[in-house]
Amino acid sequence: PIPSMAMYLWMPLPNWAKSKGWNDESFSANLLSHSGIALTPGSGFGIGGSGWLRLALVRPAHELEAAVSLIRPWWNAHS
């Protein structure tokens, strides 16, 4: 089957991450290693994506909510 659409949430790199000297790639790598959740660094899509993070909304809502629950403690510890 050919998908008829794609759904992504593009989020700017948070100011607290910038203040730590992180870019979209280091943010994504740190998040993945500490929470197991992968966000795509925007810079992988070219210079216009630098400083942005992409979340693919391709899983059921309950799985996305579970992912947010895993991100929250990591976020709170760093922000």
Side-chain angles (χ1 to χ4, degrees):
I2 299 173
S4 61
M5 60 184 249
M7 295 177 33
Y8 302 102
L9 176 62
W10 284 87
M11 303 165 287
L13 188 65
N15 287 331
W16 63 260
K18 292 177 189 175
S19 71
K20 292 178 178 280
W22 292 1
N23 61 21
D24 54 316
E25 292 180 12
S26 55
F27 180 99
S28 297
N30 194 290
L31 175 65
L32 179 60
S33 69
H34 289 94
S35 72
I37 303 300
L39 297 179
T40 306
S43 57
F45 299 94
I47 191 72
S50 181
W52 289 83
L53 304 159
R54 188 182 85 163
L55 171 63
L57 301 172
V58 296
R59 304 300 305 166
H62 72 276
E63 290 183 21
L64 295 171
E65 290 169 357
V68 169
S69 294
L70 293 171
I71 292 171
R72 186 174 289 119
W74 174 87
W75 183 283
N76 291 340
H78 288 88
S79 62

